[in-house]
Amino acid sequence: MNINSLVRPNILDLKPYSSARSEFKGVADVFLDANENPFETGLNRYPDPLQRRLKEEISKIKGIAAEHIFLGNGSDEAIDLLIRIFCEPGLDRIIILPPTYGMYKVSADISNVAVQEIPLKSDFQPDVDAILSQSDEHSKILFICSPNNPTGNAFKFDKINDLARDFPGIVVVDEAYIDFSTQNSALELLPQYPNLAIMQTFSKAWGLAGLRLGMAFAGKAIISLLNSVKPPYNINQLTQQAALKALQNYSQQESWVQSILQQRAILQQQLAALEYVERIYPTDANFLLVKVAKPNELYRYLIDRKIIVRNRSKAPLCEGCIRITVGRAEENQRLFAALAEYGC
Ligand SMILES: *Cc1c(COP(=O)(O)O)cnc(C)c1O
């Protein structure tokens, strides 16, 4: 597949902004090229526009060469850039698989790009035949969220593989929750499919939602397009430093994930014993989708107890459901104590 044949003409013609720090690549001591303030504040210099050190470290952990990595101001930036690169407003479409993460549609709406919805099947798996038969040359991007938010399940690996192979446009697999999943990441499919982009984030397992740092992994063509469209210094210096520090302490991330998985199992067991809990869906993420008799009432009851969960009862296929993020042991205990008292 020729990626450039999918790109908007104005993006193909774009001459990207060339910053002072991207024009000079050698070694120097005296920097009089960027109109910076010369007095040291720790932040008086512009950051590396391509975040090279950070990508080297991510590369080691993920086993993916740095040239296949893009970093964005949250995954949300990568979502927005991909839509702006590939989708001609008023002409092209994205495909999403509801119920799913809300940002794909919001980003498309902002860009005046149509959104085609192909709901998940009742088992929360993608309808591969429907997706392929309903896509054409204007279906530029398919957003797959696996493990999916809000249903919590990972999609079958074969289905992701089939879609990456047969979809006529770009296939984005959003793996924000992959660190909590027993299923393999789609990263291993990257070498086969130049139309595949995989997103991960520092916002969940890494405990850095406040940092705003998202990763996209893709072939060189897509990475090069992302780099030419992004704001020159999209990842600020403090973010680059904080992420480097987190990456040096990988075992911390692993132990958080272990603890969250343990807590998740405990919470699943406790919730199952509650009479008004009708169903706890299987999860590959750090949250549980739980079907209850009266979701709105339960949601408000918990708010009165100063406990916030997400009411997803109006999302398609999620009637009656609330979404509960797994917290620390003491937070989950407080939730469970409140839930046990509810309805008594
Ligand atoms: C939380 C989440 C993200 C993370 O987005 P950031 O912008 O990186 O914080 C991405 N995708 C999904 C599906 C999420 O639930």
Side-chain angles (χ1 to χ4, degrees):
M1 184 184 290
N2 179 1
I3 298 305
N4 282 351
S5 69
L6 299 168
V7 177
R8 291 168 67 199
N10 61 313
I11 302 295
L12 276 184
D13 292 345
L14 183 72
K15 190 174 178 319
Y17 177 73
S18 185
S19 66
R21 286 301 130 77
S22 53
E23 275 181 16
F24 178 76
K25 295 197 177 73
V27 182
D29 298 320
V30 179
F31 289 97
L32 303 176
D33 59 341
N35 298 348
E36 296 152 337
N37 185 320
F39 297 100
E40 192 59 52
T41 64
L43 293 169
N44 56 316
R45 300 294 176 186
Y46 281 103
D48 176 2
L50 291 172
Q51 313 96 26
R52 278 165 279 223
R53 269 191 67 203
L54 188 46
K55 285 178 186 168
E56 279 310 318
E57 295 307 313
I58 294 171
S59 165
K60 287 181 204 158
I61 284 181
K62 299 289 175 184
I64 303 273
E67 65 199 16
H68 293 291
I69 304 174
F70 170 83
L71 298 177
N73 186 2
S75 310
D76 294 343
E77 183 176 35
I79 294 168
D80 182 59
L81 293 176
L82 287 164
I83 290 175
R84 287 197 283 148
I85 289 166
F86 292 104
C87 300
E88 193 63 40
L91 183 67
D92 292 329
R93 301 187 298 273
I94 65 163
I95 295 182
I96 64 170
L97 313 176
T100 194
Y101 186 47
M103 272 313 287
Y104 317 132
K105 177 171 160 51
V106 172
S107 257
D109 286 348
I110 290 170
S111 286
N112 190 29
V113 165
V115 178
Q116 188 176 355
E117 303 194 344
I118 303 181
L120 296 176
K121 297 198 281 191
S122 58
D123 60 357
F124 293 153
Q125 291 292 322
D127 190 340
V128 175
D129 293 337
I131 294 166
L132 294 177
S133 69
Q134 292 176 44
S135 49
D136 60 28
E137 74 272 20
H138 290 298
S139 319
K140 286 292 183 64
I141 308 179
L142 167 64
F143 282 98
I144 297 175
C145 185
S146 178
N148 186 43
N149 179 4
T151 59
N153 62 302
F155 297 163
K156 295 198 175 96
F157 200 83
D158 286 354
K159 292 186 186 256
I160 295 175
N161 181 61
D162 291 352
L163 287 166
R165 187 189 59 218
D166 296 335
F167 186 73
I170 302 297
V171 174
V172 177
V173 184
D174 184 345
E175 294 190 332
Y177 300 99
I178 194 67
D179 301 294
F180 305 103
S181 177
T182 49
Q183 179 167 298
N184 283 357
S185 163
L187 281 177
E188 65 190 70
L189 298 175
L190 268 190
Q192 289 171 66
Y193 303 121
N195 60 325
L196 181 62
I198 293 156
M199 297 192 305
Q200 296 183 4
T201 180
F202 282 84
S203 296
K204 308 285 156 65
W206 288 95
L208 293 170
L211 198 59
R212 311 308 303 129
L213 186 62
M215 302 167 263
F217 305 92
K220 283 186 205 164
I222 293 179
I223 297 297
S224 153
L225 287 157
L226 285 165
N227 283 334
S228 64
V229 172
K230 78 181 183 73
Y233 302 110
N234 64 326
I235 307 298
N236 71 65
Q237 185 68 27
L238 293 175
T239 296
Q240 296 192 39
Q241 285 164 359
L244 276 168
K245 202 171 146 210
L247 288 162
Q248 278 156 18
N249 197 359
Y250 187 51
S251 61
Q252 173 66 266
Q253 188 259 46
E254 288 179 311
S255 83
W256 281 330
V257 168
Q258 282 320 308
S259 153
I260 290 166
L261 293 180
Q262 272 169 17
Q263 285 298 313
R264 187 178 79 182
I266 293 171
L267 206 50
Q268 275 170 318
Q269 229 170 30
Q270 291 177 322
L271 294 178
L274 298 171
E275 199 184 322
Y276 57 86
V277 169
E278 295 174 7
R279 191 157 178 192
I280 305 163
Y281 288 91
T283 181
D284 292 285
N286 65 339
F287 58 84
L288 297 170
L289 187 71
V290 182
K291 185 168 187 183
V292 296
K294 295 178 183 157
N296 298 329
E297 190 188 285
L298 181 61
Y299 176 70
R300 280 192 302 268
Y301 165 83
L302 287 173
I303 287 181
D304 289 341
R305 300 284 174 115
K306 297 198 163 57
I307 298 170
I308 320 297
V309 296
R310 198 90 197 264
N311 186 352
R312 296 277 80 181
S313 59
K314 292 195 175 54
L317 302 177
C318 294
E319 291 79 16
C321 289
I322 56 172
R323 192 193 72 190
I324 302 173
T325 306
V326 178
R328 300 191 308 270
E330 59 271 28
E331 295 175 306
N332 304 331
Q333 279 155 17
R334 239 186 87 186
L335 170 77
F336 183 68
L339 289 175
E341 266 179 42
Y342 170 75
C344 291

